[in-house]
Amino acid sequence: MPMDAREIESMIREALPDAQVEIKDLAGDGDHYAATVISSAFKGKTRVAQHQMVYGALQGRMGGVLHALALTTGVPQD
């Protein structure tokens, strides 16, 4: 069963409470999403570490229930 965009956003916000999250359904099938996640928790972390934090927030659903997630991450601009 596909994941809903609201569920993805909720899980990310739970793990990264200050995050600005934007989710787009790329194919309309609930399996292919793009996410932009901006959080101060990413400060000083590599892009790979930032993505790992987001994947961790999804609690193992990546590659299973959630087939594809194109990620853009970053820190807030002051």
Side-chain angles (χ1 to χ4, degrees), residues 43-62:
K43 188 172 184 173
K45 303 222 181 329
T46 65
R47 187 80 55 205
V48 169
Q50 293 173 16
H51 287 205
Q52 288 172 335
M53 290 171 71
V54 175
Y55 293 143
L58 297 173
Q59 303 171 5
R61 288 177 174 86
M62 237 354 270

Side-chain angles (χ1 to χ4, degrees), residues 1-5 8 22-35 58 61-71:
M1 183 170 164
M3 283 186 79
D4 183 84
I8 296 167
E22 181 182 343
I23 308 287
K24 293 181 183 176
D25 188 340
L26 296 176
D29 61 3
D31 272 342
H32 299 82
Y33 290 99
L58 297 173
R61 288 177 174 86
M62 237 354 270
V65 176
L66 180 57
H67 179 71
L69 180 66
L71 268 179

